[in-house]
Amino acid sequence: EKLGLNYIYKAFTTQDIAAAVQGVRALGIRGCAVSMPFKESCMPFLDAIDPSAKVIDSVNTIVNDSGRLTGLNTDYIAVKSLIDSHSLARTAKVMIQGSGGMAKAVAAGWPKAMIEEASAARAAVRMLSDRGGQLAVMRAVAETLPPATFPF
């Protein structure tokens, strides 16, 4: 309301991602969030993939512009913006703790970083290692676990 937008947010669930994406287009839904397990499997049904989603092969937002569906990854956009706005070194030593979409975004945000594998971060570490990254000792920590997952 404060922005003067006439939108509502409604959560839906599906077992058929192709039909759900087609429904976004057919119903003129302006946009939607995408959650697991559909962040990768929705991509073939979209008209365009933003570079933010291409870099980590994961879509978490679909925007509908007059029937043209574009997939983006707002996690990557946020991480890249934070790294850039704080002038963080892209060659820093980084430890990623977590393994979800935000972990992939952090790993992609530091493409030349040296990552130390920690706890459940194996998938993100493998992705970065496949891009030529090296495992190294932690110097900075990129925390990607939701607060509810902490054991204390």
Side-chain angles (χ1 to χ4, degrees):
E1 290 178 16
K2 288 182 181 182
L3 297 175
L5 301 174
N6 187 20
Y7 298 122
I8 63 166
Y9 186 85
K10 178 72 177 145
F12 295 94
T13 186
T14 186
Q15 298 301 314
D16 185 347
I17 190 60
V21 170
Q22 186 56 36
V24 170
R25 185 188 325 269
L27 294 171
I29 296 171
R30 182 67 174 104
C32 65
V34 179
S35 60
M36 291 302 293
F38 302 114
K39 290 183 176 196
E40 296 170 7
S41 61
C42 73
M43 295 174 75
F45 308 110
L46 304 175
D47 301 308
I49 305 296
D50 185 80
S52 63
K54 280 183 185 177
V55 73
I56 60 175
D57 296 318
S58 179
V59 166
N60 70 0
T61 303
I62 298 173
V63 175
N64 184 349
D65 289 311
S66 301
R68 179 175 169 76
L69 303 182
T70 302
L72 301 100
N73 192 294
T74 58
D75 290 341
Y76 177 77
I77 292 168
V79 167
K80 189 170 180 330
S81 175
L82 285 170
I83 291 169
D84 293 344
S85 68
H86 292 285
S87 302
L88 301 174
R90 291 200 173 254
T91 57
K93 294 178 181 179
V94 178
M95 181 180 85
I96 298 173
Q97 189 171 355
S99 62
M102 185 57 82
K104 282 178 75 174
V106 170
W110 268 293
K112 295 181 174 142
M114 293 184 281
I115 304 289
E116 178 180 312
E117 184 171 346
S119 69
R122 292 176 189 90
V125 169
R126 276 195 299 273
M127 183 190 83
L128 190 67
S129 295
D130 290 346
R131 294 180 174 184
Q134 298 174 356
L135 300 181
V137 177
M138 174 204 51
R139 197 193 249 157
V141 175
E143 182 60 64
T144 63
L145 291 173
T149 63
F150 288 106
F152 44 87

